[in-house]
C-alpha cells in the first residue's frame, strides 16, 4: 500500500554561545522533504488505483468462469445425460432437435443473468465456442438420426412388402408386384447408404430369396408339391444357402404328401430285403430238389454241359457239419442247407469279387441297398459286369441303375424283370416299385437324388403302415364278429347257422368253429340256463363242490350269467355269485391264476386282491379247489404286505414278480444259511433307535404288550430278510438300513397311551393336529372307553387290517380300541374306533376362535406397553411396592380383559364337553410370558428415557 510521508521539522535553536550566527539555510531546513513526500503521495495514489482495476478484472473473470463451468455442465448433461439429445436415436432425435437448440440458447443466457457487465463480456466470448461446439454436435447427430430414420423406415417398408408378398402366396401376380416394390425400396436404401452396385445386387438377391423362401413355405402348408414346383420355377432367385435350407424344410412335408399320393395310387413296393442273401433268395426262389441249368446262347440253345443246381440256384450244398458237396441230379436240400450255402458263398466268393471289381473305397461309399444289388448281380453272373463296375466308381446311383438296366437284354432277356427291379432298387432304395401320380413323380425327379430316395422310401413305409392298418382292421373286424357271435351263442341270441355262414368278416375256419360251438351250446347249456333262472328266482339248489357234474354246471351257469354283465361290474358280481353258490367257477379261478403268474403288474395286483377277497368271503370254496395253495398263498401275501405293511397293491405285486425271477430265487437260496447267522445281530433295539433314544427313561417302546412287540420285530425281520436275500446281496448293514426304511413307511410313534409307542399307522400321522397337538385323539378314545368301562385307567389304539384299508382308500383310519382296567387286565372295546370328523371340525373351529382371542389379548397388551409407557411403568412400580414380582398382567392393563377371559373360559368348557373331559375352568391363562413382557418393558424404557443407569453423555 502507498504510504504518505509525514513532515518532521529539522530547524532547531542553536545552542547559546556554541556557534557563530549565520544567515545560510539548507533545502531540508526550508521544506524540501515535504515536497518529496507530496510527490510520493501522488505516486502511491496512482498505484492504488491500478491495483483496484486489476482486482475488478480478476473478479469478473472468476465470475465468468464459474458461469461458464455451470453452462458447460448443463450442456454435457443435456447432450449425454438421461434422455440427453445425443443419446436419442432416429425419429426421437429429429423431434427433439428444435427443443434442444432452443434450450441451449436459453441456458446460455440464464447462466449470465446475474453477471456484471465485465463478467458477462468475458462469459459471452468464452461460451460462444461452447455453444458452437454443442450446435455442431447436435447438427451432426441430427443428420445421422435423419439417415437412421430413413433407413429404418425403408427397412420397415421392405418387411411390410415382404409380408404382403407372403399374404399373396396363392396369387403370383400380386406376390410379384409386392416383391418388386420391396426391391425398389431396397435400391433406394442402397442409394441412401452409398452401396456400390455389387453390394446392392447381393442385397437384392438376399431379399428376394428370403421372401420367396417364406412364400414357398406358406404354399407348402396347403400343398407341399406345389411348393417344390414353386422352388423349381424360381430357382435362379434363391441363394444357394436359402435353396438348400428350403429343400431341407420341405422334405418331410413332401414325403408326407408323396406318401398320401402313393397310397391313393394303390401302389405296392417291390419288397424290402434286409440283406444280400434275402434279396438273392427272393429272386432265385427255393428248390429242394436238383434241376438242370446249363449255359445257353442268345437263342436259348444249350452251349455247355449239364449243370445241376439246388437251393437258391447254387451248384453246391453246405451241410450242417460244414462240408461242401456238389449238386447232382439226385441231390435234395433243406431250407437250412440252402441258406447256409448262400451265406457261405456270398462271404467267401461273390461279395469279395464285387469289391475287387470296384475297389474298396468305391464299395465303402455305397449305401447298403446298392451293395446288396451288386452282390445279387455278381451271384447271377459269377462276376460283376464291367459296365456296372465302371458306373460304381463314379458313385452316381443314377448311373449305376442305368448300367444295370443295360443288362436287361442279356441271355435273350431271360432275367429282364430281375434287372429292372435291381435297377429300381438302386435308384429308389426301398421305395422301388412305388407308383406316384405324374405330377408328384416330376417333383421327385427334380429333387436331389438322395432326397428323392428318402421320399420314396418314406412313401413305401407309409404304404406298409397303411396295408398293416387295413389288415389290422380286417383282423379286428373278424375278431369282433367272432366275439359277438360267440357271445350270441352263449346268451341264446344266435340260434341260426345261417347267421354265421353269411357273415362277411369271417373266414371259413371261423365259421366252422362257431357252428360247432352253436351246436354244442344248444345241447349243453340248457341245464345251465335253468340254473341261472332258478337263481334269479331264489330257487336254485345247493351245488356239491365234490361233484364234477355240479362243477361243470357251475362253470356253465357262471359264464352264461357273466356274459350279460359289464366288464367293470364283473368282479363285484362274481363275488356275489361265489357267496351265494359256495362255488368258485373254473373261468374265475383260471383268470386269477393267470393273473398271479403274469408279469404284468396290473394283472398280478388284481389277482392278489381277488385272492384275498375269495379267501375272506369263501374260505371253504377255496379249500375245495384243486391246488388251492396258490390262491391261499397270494391271499396271505396280500394280507402281510398290503394290510400289514401298508404297501400299495402295486408294490406288493412288484415284490411277487421280483421273487419269481430265477436269478433272485437262486440268490435267495444261496443266502439262506447266511441269513440265519445275520439275523442274530438284528433286534427290536434297531427299530427303537430308528424312532428315538430308548436308552434313557421315557424313550419309545415297541408296543405295550409282548404280543405287539413280537409283531413289530416280525415285520422288521421279514423286511430285513427280503432285503438281505434280494437287493442287499448278503450285506447285513444294507439289509438293516433297507428294513428300517421299510418299517418307517408304515410305523411311527404314537403317544395316545400316554407313552411313546412304536406302532403301524400311528394316528398322529394320519389325523391333523388341533392347536398344535394330537391330545384330542386320546381324549376321544378315553371318552369312548368310559362308555363301556367308566373306571378304565388307560387306553391304546392298535392297527388292524381295516386300518390299512382305510389309509389306502383315503378314509379316516379305524383302530382297535384297547383299555386297561384298574386291576391291570387289558380289554378291548367292541367294534373299531375312528375319530369323529364332525368333532374334529368343531375342535378346529374352537382352536381358531381361541387363537383369535389370545392374539387380541397379546396385541392389546403390547399396545398398552408401547402407547402408555408411563401407566405401564406406574403399574409396574406399584406391583413392586406391593411385593409382587414381574410386570403387570394382561388383566391389569388390557381394556375389556374380563370379557375376553370369559370367552376363553367358555371355549375351554366347550372343548372339555366335546371331548368328554371333566368340567374345568377352561384355558383362560394369560397369553403373555412374564419374562417376555419384562424384557419388552425394559426395552421400552430404554427407548423412552435413554439407557438405564443414567442419562446418556
Amino acid at each position: 500500500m502507498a504510504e504518505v510521508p509525514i513532515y518532521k521539522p529539522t530547524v532547531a535553536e542553536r545552542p547559546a554561545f556554541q556557534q557563530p550566527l549565520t544567515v545560510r539555510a539548507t533545502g531540508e531546513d526550508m521544506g524540501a522533504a515535504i515536497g518529496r513526500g507530496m510527490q510520493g503521495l501522488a505516486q502511491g495514489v496512482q498505484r492504488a488505483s491500478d491495483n483496484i482495476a486489476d482486482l475488478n478484472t480478476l473478479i469478473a473473470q472468476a465470475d465468468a468462469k464459474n458461469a461458464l463451468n455451470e453452462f458447460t455442465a448443463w450442456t454435457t448433461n443435456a447432450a449425454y445425460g438421461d434422455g440427453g439429445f445425443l443419446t436419442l436415436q432416429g425419429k426421437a432425435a429429429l423431434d427433439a432437435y428444435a427443443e434442444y437448440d432452443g434450450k441451449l440458447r436459453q441456458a446460455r443466457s440464464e447462466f449470465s443473468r446475474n453477471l456484471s457487465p465485465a463478467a458477462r463480456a468475458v462469459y459471452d466470448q468464452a461460451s460462444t465456442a461452447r455453444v458452437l461446439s454443442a450446435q455442431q454436435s447436435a447438427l451432426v447427430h441430427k443428420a445421422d438420426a435423419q439417415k437412421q430414420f430413413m433407413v429404418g423406415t425403408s427397412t420397415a417398408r421392405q418387411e411390410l412388402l415382404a409380408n404382403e408378398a407372403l399374404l399373396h402366396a396363392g396369387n403370383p401376380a400380386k406376390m410379384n408386384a409386392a416383391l418388386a416394390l420391396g426391391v425398389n425400396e431396397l435400391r433406394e436404401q442402397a442409394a441412401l447408404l452409398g452401396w456400390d452396385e455389387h453390394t446392392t445386387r447381393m442385397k437384392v438377391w438376399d431379399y428376394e430369396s428370403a421372401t420367396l423362401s417364406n412364400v414357398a413355405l406358406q404354399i407348402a402348408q396347403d400343398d407341399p408339391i406345389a411348393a417344390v414346383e414353386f422352388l423349381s420355377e424360381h430357382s435362379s432367385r434363391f441363394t444357394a444357402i436359402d435353396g438348400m435350407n428350403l429343400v431341407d424344410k420341405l422334405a418331410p412335408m413332401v414325403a408326407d404328401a408323396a406318401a398320401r399320393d402313393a397310397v391313393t395310387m394303390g401302389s405296392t413296393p417291390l419288397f424290402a430285403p434286409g440283406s444280400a442273401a434275402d434279396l438273392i433268395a427272393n429272386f432265385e426262389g427255393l428248390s429242394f430238389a436238383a434241376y438242370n441249368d446249363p449255359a445257353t446262347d442268345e437263342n436259348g440253345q444249350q452251349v455247355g454241359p449239364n449243370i445241376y443246381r439246388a437251393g437258391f440256384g447254387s451248384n453246391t450244398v453246405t451241410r450242417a457239419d460244414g462240408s461242401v458237396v456238389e449238386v447232382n441230379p439226385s441231390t435234395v436240400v433243406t431250407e437250412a442247407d440252402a441258406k447256409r450255402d448262400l451265406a457261405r458263398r456270398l462271404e467267401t466268393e461273390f461279395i469279395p469279387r464285387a469289391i475287387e471289381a470296384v475297389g474298396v473305397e468305391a464299395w465303402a461309399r455305397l449305401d447298403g441297398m446298392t451293395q446288396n444289388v451288386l452282390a445279387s448281380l455278381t451271384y447271377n453272373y459269377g462276376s460283376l459286369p464291367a459296365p456296372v463296375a465302371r458306373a460304381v466308381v463314379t458313385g452316381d446311383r443314377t448311373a449305376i441303375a442305368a448300367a444295370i438296366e443295360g443288362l436287361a437284354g442279356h441271355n435273350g432277356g431271360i432275367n429282364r424283370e430281375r434287372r429292372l427291379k435291381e435297377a429300381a432298387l438302386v435308384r429308389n432304395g426301398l421305395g422301388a416299385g412305388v407308383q406316384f401320380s405324374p405330377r408328384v413323380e416330376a417333383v421327385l425327379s427334380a429333387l436331389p437324388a438322395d432326397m428323392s430316395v428318402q421320399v420314396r422310401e418314406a412313401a413305401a413305409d407309409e404304404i406298409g403302415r397303411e396295408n398293416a392298418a387295413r389288415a389290422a382292421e380286417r383282423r379286428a373286424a373278424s375278431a369282433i364278429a367272432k366275439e359277438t357271435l360267440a357271445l350270441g351263442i352263449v346268451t341264446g341270441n344266435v340260434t341260426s347257422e345261417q347267421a354265421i355262414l353269411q357273415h362277411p368278416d369271417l373266414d371259413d375256419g371261423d365259421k366252422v368253429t362257431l357252428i360247432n360251438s352253436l351246436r354244442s351250446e344248444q345241447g349243453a347249456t340248457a341245464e345251465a340256463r335253468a340254473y341261472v333262472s332258478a337263481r334269479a328266482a331264489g330257487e336254485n339248489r345247493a351245488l356239491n363242490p365234490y361233484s364234477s357234474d355240479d362243477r361243470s354246471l357251475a362253470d356253465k351257469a357262471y359264464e352264461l350269467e357273466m356274459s350279460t354283465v359289464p366288464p367293470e361290474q364283473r368282479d363285484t358280481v362274481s363275488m356275489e355269485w361265489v357267496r351265494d353258490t359256495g362255488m368258485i367257477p373254473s373261468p374265475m379261478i383260471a383268470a386269477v391264476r393267470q393273473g398271479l403268474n403274469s408279469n404284468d403288474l396290473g394283472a398280478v395286483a388284481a389277482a392278489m386282491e381277488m385272492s384275498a377277497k375269495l379267501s375272506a368271503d369263501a374260505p371253504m370254496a377255496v379249500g375245495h379247489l384243486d391246488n388251492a395253495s396258490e390262491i391261499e398263498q397270494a391271499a396271505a401275501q396280500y394280507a402281510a404286505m398290503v394290510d400289514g405293511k401298508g404297501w400299495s397293491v402295486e408294490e406288493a405285486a412288484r415284490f411277487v414278480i421280483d421273487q419269481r425271477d430265477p436269478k433272485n430265487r437262486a440268490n435267495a437260496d444261496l443266502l439262506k444259511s447266511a441269513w440265519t447267522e445275520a439275523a442274530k445281530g438284528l433286534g427290536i433295539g434297531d427299530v427303537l433307535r430308528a424312532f428315538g433314544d430308548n436308552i434313557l427313561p421315557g424313550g419309545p417302546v415297541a408296543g405295550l404288550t409282548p404280543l405287539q412287540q413280537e409283531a413289530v420285530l416280525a415285520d422288521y425281520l421279514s423286511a430285513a430278510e427280503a432285503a438281505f436275500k434280494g437287493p442287499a446281496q448278503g450285506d447285513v448293514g444294507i439289509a438293516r438300513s433297507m428294513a428300517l426304511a421299510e418299517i418307517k413307511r408304515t410305523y411311527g410313534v404314537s403317544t395316545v397311551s400316554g407313552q411313546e409307542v412304536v406302532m403301524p399307522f400311528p394316528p398322529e400321522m394320519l389325523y391333523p393336529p388341533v392347536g398344535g397337538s394330537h391330545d384330542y385323539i386320546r381324549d376321544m378314545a378315553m371318552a369312548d372307553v368310559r362308555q363301556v368301562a367308566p373306571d378304565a385307567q388307560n387306553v391304546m389304539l392298535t392297527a388292524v387290517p381295516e386300518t390299512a384299508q382305510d389309509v389306502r382308500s383315503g378314509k379316516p383310519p379305524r383302530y382297535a380300541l384297547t383299555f386297561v382296567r384298574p386291576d391291570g387286565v387289558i380289554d378291548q372295546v367292541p367294534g373299531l374306533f375312528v375319530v369323529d370328523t364332525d368333532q374334529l371340525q368343531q375342535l378346529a373351529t374352537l382352536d381358531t376362535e381361541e387363537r383369535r382371542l389370545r392374539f387380541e389379548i397379546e396385541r392389546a397388551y403390547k399396545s398398552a406397553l408401547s402407547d402408555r409407557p408411563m401407566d405401564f411403568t406406574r403399574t409396574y412400580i406399584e406391583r413392586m411396592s406391593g411385593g409382587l414380582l414381574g410386570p403387570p398382567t394382561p388383566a391389569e392393563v388390557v381394556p375389556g380383559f374380563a370379557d375376553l377371559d370369559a370367552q376363553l373360559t367358555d371355549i375351554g368348557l366347550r372343548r372339555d364337553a366335546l371331548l368328554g373331559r371333566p368340567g374345568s375352568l377352561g384355558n383362560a391363562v394369560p397369553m403373555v410370558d412374564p419374562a417376555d413382557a419384562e424384557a419388552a418393558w425394559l426395552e421400552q424404557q430404554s427407548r423412552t428415557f435413554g439407557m438405564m443407569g443414567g442419562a446418556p453423555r
Side-chain angles (χ1 to χ4, degrees), residues 707-730:
L707 185 61
Q708 292 175 346
Q709 179 169 326
E710 287 299 323
V712 175
L713 181 59
D715 284 346
Y716 170 55
L717 292 178
S718 175
E721 181 178 9
F724 184 85
K725 295 179 180 179
Q729 292 294 297

Side-chain angles (χ1 to χ4, degrees), residues 65-78 111 123 126-127 130:
K65 287 181 179 179
N66 287 336
L68 182 61
N69 289 341
E70 293 176 355
F71 177 59
T72 300
W74 182 91
T75 58
T76 300
N77 184 66
F111 287 109
Y123 170 80
S127 63
R130 169 59 61 182

Side-chain angles (χ1 to χ4, degrees), residues 690-953:
F691 289 100
D693 180 11
N694 66 317
I695 298 176
L696 298 176
V701 296
L704 296 178
T705 67
L707 185 61
Q708 292 175 346
Q709 179 169 326
E710 287 299 323
V712 175
L713 181 59
D715 284 346
Y716 170 55
L717 292 178
S718 175
E721 181 178 9
F724 184 85
K725 295 179 180 179
Q729 292 294 297
D731 188 312
V732 67
I734 297 176
R736 177 186 290 108
S737 298
M738 293 181 67
L740 291 175
E742 178 66 30
I743 286 293
K744 284 187 174 181
R745 292 181 55 186
T746 307
Y747 280 78
V749 176
S750 175
T751 58
V752 171
S753 65
Q755 181 179 0
E756 293 185 351
V757 178
V758 176
M759 66 172 289
F761 303 111
E764 289 90 340
M765 293 173 57
L766 303 171
Y767 286 106
V770 175
S773 170
H774 288 90
D775 291 346
Y776 69 90
I777 299 177
R778 176 179 172 82
D779 291 332
M780 288 183 179
M782 187 65 77
D784 282 4
V785 165
R786 284 175 175 158
Q787 293 180 10
V788 178
D791 57 349
Q793 300 295 305
N794 199 1
V795 294
M796 64 189 81
L797 298 180
T798 306
V800 290
E802 288 83 356
T803 310
Q805 295 169 11
D806 292 339
V807 171
R808 287 197 308 276
S809 60
K811 299 178 181 178
R814 293 168 291 172
Y815 295 86
L817 179 55
T818 308
F819 62 95
V820 181
R821 295 186 180 275
D823 57 3
V825 174
I826 297 177
D827 205 345
Q828 186 168 314
V829 174
L832 297 176
F833 168 83
V834 63
V835 170
D836 188 323
T837 53
D838 290 337
Q839 287 186 338
L840 182 58
Q841 182 60 49
Q842 294 177 51
L843 286 174
T845 301
L846 291 175
D847 180 65
T848 301
E849 293 180 14
E850 181 179 18
R851 283 189 285 107
R852 180 184 60 79
L853 289 171
R854 292 182 184 279
F855 175 76
E856 187 174 342
I857 292 172
E858 183 176 3
R859 183 177 58 182
Y861 188 80
K862 291 181 178 179
S863 175
L865 172 63
S866 59
D867 297 342
R868 296 181 283 118
M870 294 303 297
D871 293 345
F872 195 91
T873 302
R874 186 179 301 107
T875 305
Y876 195 105
I877 295 172
E878 290 173 355
R879 287 174 57 83
M880 292 177 63
S881 62
L884 298 176
L885 299 178
T889 65
E892 296 174 285
V893 295
V894 172
F897 176 80
D899 179 59
L900 296 174
D901 184 62
Q903 294 182 52
L904 283 175
T905 300
D906 179 64
I907 289 173
L909 292 173
R910 283 190 286 161
R911 181 186 291 111
D912 291 342
L914 190 61
L915 294 174
R917 294 195 298 222
S920 68
L921 295 179
N923 295 316
V925 179
M927 293 303 300
V928 181
D929 189 302
D932 292 341
E934 186 168 14
W937 177 77
L938 291 174
E939 181 182 354
Q940 178 65 33
Q941 303 314 301
S942 174
R943 290 198 301 266
T944 306
F945 301 108
M947 296 298 293
M948 303 303 290
R953 291 185 172 85

Side-chain angles (χ1 to χ4, degrees), residues 18 455 928 952:
Q18 293 292 323
V455 172
V928 181

Side-chain angles (χ1 to χ4, degrees), residues 175-216:
M175 183 273 293
N176 284 316
L179 183 58
L181 290 175
V183 169
N184 290 338
E185 187 67 37
L186 179 59
R187 291 188 179 278
E188 291 180 5
Q189 185 184 77
L192 177 66
L193 296 175
W195 293 344
D196 57 33
E197 182 57 30
H198 174 73
T199 301
T200 301
R201 188 165 54 252
M202 297 304 294
K203 294 287 187 180
V204 168
W205 195 9
D206 287 341
Y207 177 74
E208 283 190 328
S209 178
T211 302
L212 292 174
S213 293
N214 290 332
V215 171

Side-chain angles (χ1 to χ4, degrees), residues 473-523:
E473 288 177 1
R474 289 193 296 271
R475 289 193 299 272
S478 177
I480 292 172
K482 286 188 290 186
E483 290 178 358
T484 302
L485 290 170
L487 178 61
I489 291 171
V490 172
T491 58
N493 294 326
V494 175
T495 58
S496 169
E497 294 183 6
Q498 290 301 314
I500 299 173
L501 290 171
Q502 296 175 0
H503 202 290
D505 293 327
L506 297 176
D507 59 28
D508 291 342
D510 293 335
K511 291 176 182 178
V512 170
T513 301
L514 288 171
I515 288 174
N516 288 334
S517 297
L518 175 61
R519 292 172 179 174
S520 175
E521 185 68 20
Q522 287 175 338

Side-chain angles (χ1 to χ4, degrees), residues 531 541-555 581-584 621 624:
Y531 183 83
R541 67 179 177 84
L543 298 178
N544 182 1
Y546 297 103
S547 168
S548 59
D549 291 340
D550 277 6
R551 287 198 298 269
S552 297
L553 174 60
D555 291 344
T581 65
M583 299 281 286
I584 302 179
H624 292 149

Side-chain angles (χ1 to χ4, degrees), residues 157-158 160-185 204 207-209 211-216 219 229-231 233-238:
R157 179 160 173 75
Q158 293 169 38
L160 178 65
L161 291 168
N163 289 332
E164 186 174 345
L166 183 61
L167 291 175
H168 296 298
N171 188 327
K174 291 185 177 181
M175 183 273 293
N176 284 316
L179 183 58
L181 290 175
V183 169
N184 290 338
E185 187 67 37
V204 168
Y207 177 74
E208 283 190 328
S209 178
T211 302
L212 292 174
S213 293
N214 290 332
V215 171
I219 294 173
E229 293 171 339
F230 179 87
L231 172 60
E233 179 184 356
H234 300 281
S235 58
S236 62
R237 302 171 75 179
F238 287 92

